Amino acid sequence: MELKEEVKFRRCVQAVIAFTVSASECGKWTWGKYLHDGYGYWWVSATGFSYFSEGGSDQRDEAILSLILTLLVIDVLVQWIFHTLGARVAKSLHVALAALLGCLSTADLSLTVGAGGARVSLPLVLFAVTECGYVLRMVWPWLHYVAMSLAVVMSLLLLSLPCLRQMARLIAVSWRLPWLLKLSGAIYCGRSLWIRRSESEGVGADLLSQLGSDAFAMIMGKLFPAESREVLRSHATAKMEGARDFPPLLIFHWEMLSRPDVFAGSAIASVPVTLKTAWEVLCGVPASSTSDFREQGSHLRHECLPRALRRCCGYRSLLAKTDKELPDIPRRVFGFEATVVAEDMDGLLPKIQAQLDAWDAYGGAPVFVYFYGGDAHPPYYASKVDSSERGYVESELLDIFLALNRRTDLAAEQLAKIWPPKPQPGAGPWRREHGLAFYLGDHGEQLTGHDPPPHGNLVSPDVSRTLLAVEARAFAPNFQPHRLVRMADIYATIASAVGLKLNGSLFVGRSLLGNGSTDAPHNEHAAISSFSFYRPGDLSAIHFLADGHMCAAEFHRGSEGWSLHQVDAVQNSFGAGRLAMTEKGVESCRAVAVQRLRAALRHRYQSNLLLTESNVHAAWLIATMRAAALKAKVLAAWVAKSVLWPILPAPAADSEPDPNCSEPVNLTCAEL
C-alpha cells in the first residue's frame, strides 16, 4: 500500500514533467511568433496553415494528447515497478525519466532557437547516444543556446515549484484512479494520435508525438521487417562486366540559386537544404522530408558514392571545403576517405594538391573529389564583401550574393587547373575517360522576395530549382536533356560512366549520358516533388510535364487540406526562367497537379518510414544491448560458480564419473 508521501512525490514529479514539456513547446511557439510573426515554422498554426485536413484540429491538440498519454504510461510503469522492485527503484526511475524528458525538451528548444527550426527526433537521439563525442564537439560552439534554453526552463520551473508542490500536497489523497479509467484514457489518446499521425503523414507537431511516431516506426521495422528488409537487400551497386574506364571525377557544390549573370541549366532539389541536397547527390536516393536529418543514420548510406566507388573500382575519395562546420560528417555519413579544410582557397589548394600527389592521382589512380564552397552561405552581410566587389544588381542582398559567388567562380577556376588533370599533349580531343565535372547549387533563395530566414524555407521554383552545369564535351554532342532533371541524376550519371550497376527500386536518378531528347520513356522522371525543410507538412511543390508543358505547381496546406497555390511554366525542361502561362497551359497543369501531389505524398511517407526503420544506430544499440546481456549472463554464471564452489557438497562416494564430463573437479556435470 502506497503512503500519502509517496503519492505526493509521484504526482509532484508528474507535474514537473508536464511543466517542462509544456514550457518547451510554448517557448518554441513564442520564439517563432517573436522572430518572424509566426511565419515560416512548422509549429505555428496562427497563419492559417495546419497539418490536419479535417475537424479543425491543430498542433496544440496533438501536443496535449501526446503529453497526457506519456504521463499515463509513466504512471503505470512507475506503479508496476513500485509493486515489483520497491519504492526506491520506482522513485529513481521516475526522477530519471523526468530528467531525460527535461533534457530532450531543452535540446528541442535549443535547436529551435539556434538552428532556426530544426528539431529533436529519435534518430537524432540515437545518433547522439552512439556518437556522443562527435555530438559534444558539434554542440560546443552553440553551447550558449543550450545554456540559455536550460536557464529559461529551469527558471520557470523553480519559480513554479512552490505552486506545484502545493498542488501535489492538495491532491495527494490516498485513493488512486481506477486502472480501467487509465486504460480507457490511454486508448482514447492513442487512437486520437493515430488518426492525427495518419492525417499529418508522419510529421510530428511536437516533441513527444515525434519521438513516439519514430519509436513506433523503428519497433515495427525490427519486429516485422520483411518488406523493408527485402527492399534494403535489393538496394545495392555492382560492377558491370567489361567496365574498364575510371575517369577522374569532380563535383563542385556551392550555395547557389539560378543566377541572372550566368546561363546554365537547372535541377530540382527535393528538400532545399544543403545537407539534403548533398545526400541525394552522393547517395542517389531522396532525403527524408522531415525537419531533421534522419537519412544520415540510415542503412542506405552504405551505397553512397565514396563507398560504392571504392568497392567497385578502387576510387579514393576526397572532400574539400572552406568552412570548418561538420568536420566528421563526410567520413561518418558519406564515407569519404579524406577531408581537407582551410579558411580560403589559398590554403585549401595546396592541401588538395598534396593529397592528390600522395594518391598518385596524376599517375592514373582513380580519384573522386567533392568540393563544397561555403563562401556564399548566408547570412549575406555587407561586411562580408568589399564595395569594389559589388555592382551587379540593385538589390543589396542579391548583389552581395553575386559578389560572394564571384569568389566561388574564382575557386572553381583555380581548382580546374589541377583537377581533373589535363590530358597529355597529343592525346587527341577530350574524351569522357579524361574526367567528368559537375557544378551544382544546393538550393535557391528568394533574395528579392519573401523568403523569411532561415534560407530555403519555401518551395517556389526560385527555391526548389537551382543551377546544374556540366562540361558538355564529356557528354554527347549538343548535350541538352529535354526532360526533368533532379540531383540524384548526378549519382546515376557517375555510376553509368564507371560501369556501376544500380540494383533495387530506391535509386531515383537517371543518367545524363547520351542524347536526352532520345531517352526512352522509362528514363524520364514523371514528376519530381519538393518539400520544405522547416514546414514539410505544409509546403510542397511538384515539377512535371503535361501536354508538352513544363509545369511547376506549388501547394499549401490549410485547414481544408492541400490546395493549389500557384502554377508556373518553366522555360524548358533543363533551363531557368519562366514563361507566361496560356489558359490552355494552366488547365493542363491543374488537371494533373493534384494527382501528382497524391503520388508524391505516398512516396514521401514510404521513404520517411524506410529511412526511420533502417536506422543503423538503433540496430547498433539493440546489438550492443544483446551483447551486454550475454556478457552479463556469462559473468553471473562465473560469479555464481566462484561463490558456490567452496560451499557445495562433494558428490556422493558411490556416484560414477560421467565420461562426457571434462571438468576435473568434484562437481557433477549436472551441477556444472
Side-chain angles (χ1 to χ4, degrees), residues 69 72-73 75-76 177-191:
L69 181 60
L72 287 173
V73 171
D75 185 68
V76 172
L177 289 176
W179 284 85
L180 184 60
L181 183 60
K182 293 181 181 180
L183 181 61
S184 301
I187 292 175
Y188 171 78
C189 293
R191 180 179 178 276

Side-chain angles (χ1 to χ4, degrees), residues 11-26 67-68 70-71 74 98 101 105 157 164 208:
R11 292 180 178 173
C12 184
V13 175
Q14 292 286 76
V16 169
I17 293 175
F19 182 85
T20 52
V21 173
S22 302
S24 174
E25 297 298 327
C26 292
L67 178 58
I68 294 174
T70 301
L71 293 175
I74 291 176
L101 290 176
S105 299
L157 180 60
L164 296 177
L208 295 179

Side-chain angles (χ1 to χ4, degrees), residues 341-377:
V341 180
E343 294 183 356
D344 51 36
M345 286 299 295
D346 293 336
L348 190 61
L349 283 175
K351 293 183 178 181
I352 298 176
Q353 183 79 64
Q355 189 64 70
L356 294 175
D357 290 336
W359 285 345
D360 192 27
Y362 300 103
V367 175
F368 167 43
V369 177
Y370 190 100
F371 183 95
Y372 172 63
D375 291 338
H377 197 280

Side-chain angles (χ1 to χ4, degrees), residues 633-664:
K633 181 180 178 181
V634 174
L635 179 62
W638 179 83
V639 170
K641 181 179 177 181
S642 301
V643 172
L644 296 177
W645 187 290
I647 62 176
L648 285 175
D654 57 348
S655 63
E656 295 184 4
D658 190 340
N660 297 323
C661 182
S662 59
E663 293 289 334

Side-chain angles (χ1 to χ4, degrees), residues 389-451:
E389 299 180 77
R390 296 175 52 179
Y392 298 101
V393 293
E394 293 184 3
S395 171
E396 182 181 18
L397 277 179
L398 184 57
D399 193 33
I400 296 171
F401 177 85
L402 294 177
L404 292 172
N405 268 273
R406 288 293 179 170
R407 294 182 183 177
T408 310
D409 291 344
L410 179 60
E413 181 181 352
Q414 293 173 336
L415 182 60
K417 293 179 180 179
I418 64 173
W419 193 259
K422 304 298 181 184
Q424 297 295 327
W430 182 278
R431 297 187 302 274
R432 189 176 299 159
E433 56 266 28
H434 292 148
L436 292 176
F438 302 84
Y439 298 86
L440 63 100
D442 47 12
H443 54 80
E445 299 180 64
Q446 288 189 348
L447 298 177
T448 58
H450 187 50
D451 183 16

Side-chain angles (χ1 to χ4, degrees), residues 464-672:
S464 56
R465 294 175 60 84
T466 184
L467 174 76
L468 174 60
V470 297
E471 288 191 299
R473 60 182 180 176
F475 294 80
N478 302 320
F479 170 72
Q480 183 68 28
H482 296 282
R483 62 174 177 83
L484 295 173
V485 176
R486 65 181 302 157
M487 292 301 176
D489 291 350
I490 298 175
Y491 183 102
T493 304
I494 292 177
S496 176
V498 303
L500 194 63
K501 184 180 180 181
L502 306 182
N503 299 318
S505 60
L506 299 179
F507 292 109
V508 296
R510 300 289 183 266
S511 175
L512 299 174
L513 296 175
N515 191 342
S517 61
T518 60
D519 279 350
H522 67 273
N523 286 333
E524 297 183 2
H525 298 294
I528 303 176
S529 59
S530 301
F531 292 93
S532 169
F533 176 73
Y534 296 101
R535 303 173 67 190
D538 290 345
L539 300 178
S540 176
I542 313 291
H543 289 79
F544 57 93
L545 297 175
D547 295 337
H549 298 280
M550 170 63 179
C551 304
E554 184 178 352
F555 293 87
H556 289 182
R557 191 175 190 179
S559 59
E560 300 299 324
W562 290 100
S563 60
L564 186 60
H565 175 71
Q566 185 176 351
V567 176
D568 291 309
V570 183
Q571 186 173 355
N572 57 64
S573 301
F574 193 60
R578 305 181 185 181
L579 291 177
M581 286 287 286
T582 63
E583 189 65 28
K584 181 179 179 180
V586 172
E587 292 303 320
S588 299
C589 290
R590 289 183 182 275
V592 183
V594 177
Q595 299 177 5
R596 297 300 188 189
L597 176 66
R598 293 196 187 103
L601 293 175
R602 288 195 300 269
H603 182 270
R604 180 185 72 168
Y605 175 77
Q606 296 169 356
S607 177
N608 288 350
L609 187 64
L610 182 65
L611 290 170
T612 306
E613 291 179 353
S614 62
N615 187 275
V616 296
H617 302 290
W620 176 89
L621 193 61
I622 292 174
T624 302
M625 293 172 63
R626 288 177 177 173
L630 181 61
K631 292 180 180 179
K633 181 180 178 181
V634 174
L635 179 62
W638 179 83
V639 170
K641 181 179 177 181
S642 301
V643 172
L644 296 177
W645 187 290
I647 62 176
L648 285 175
D654 57 348
S655 63
E656 295 184 4
D658 190 340
N660 297 323
C661 182
S662 59
E663 293 289 334
V665 295
N666 296 326
L667 295 177
T668 65
C669 283
E671 290 172 331
L672 287 174

Side-chain angles (χ1 to χ4, degrees), residues 101-286:
L101 290 176
C103 292
L104 292 176
S105 299
T106 301
D108 203 26
L109 181 59
S110 303
L111 279 175
T112 296
V113 177
R119 60 186 305 178
V120 169
S121 62
L122 189 55
L124 182 62
V125 173
L126 293 176
F127 180 80
V129 172
T130 57
E131 305 284 354
C132 54
Y134 169 68
V135 172
L136 182 60
R137 291 194 301 272
M138 285 302 306
V139 172
W140 190 259
W142 290 279
L143 197 60
H144 56 286
Y145 288 115
V146 180
M148 179 184 65
S149 301
L150 182 62
V152 170
V153 174
M154 291 302 298
S155 299
L156 293 175
L157 180 60
L158 291 176
L159 290 174
S160 305
L161 190 58
C163 180
L164 296 177
R165 293 183 62 182
Q166 185 65 26
M167 290 176 59
R169 184 179 296 110
L170 292 175
I171 63 176
V173 293
S174 58
W175 57 270
R176 304 282 296 177
L177 289 176
W179 284 85
L180 184 60
L181 183 60
K182 293 181 181 180
L183 181 61
S184 301
I187 292 175
Y188 171 78
C189 293
R191 180 179 178 276
S192 301
L193 285 173
W194 178 270
I195 295 174
R196 284 163 171 78
R197 290 270 51 74
S198 301
E199 293 175 348
S200 63
E201 296 152 357
V203 181
D206 63 287
L207 172 66
L208 295 179
S209 60
Q210 183 65 58
L211 293 176
S213 60
D214 292 340
F216 181 79
M218 289 184 180
I219 292 173
M220 295 299 291
K222 297 298 180 292
L223 295 180
F224 308 102
E227 181 178 353
S228 59
R229 183 168 50 197
E230 182 60 31
V231 173
L232 293 172
R233 184 186 297 115
S234 64
H235 181 76
T237 56
K239 185 178 179 180
M240 295 181 183
E241 294 184 5
R244 300 183 305 274
D245 297 328
F246 305 133
L249 301 173
L250 169 65
I251 295 180
F252 193 98
H253 170 181
W254 79 105
E255 300 288 325
M256 164 59 86
L257 53 84
S258 297
R259 293 166 53 179
D261 63 332
V262 175
F263 173 79
S266 60
I268 300 168
S270 58
V271 182
V273 172
T274 299
L275 282 176
K276 298 283 189 177
T277 297
W279 169 268
E280 184 168 337
V281 169
L282 289 170
C283 303
V285 296

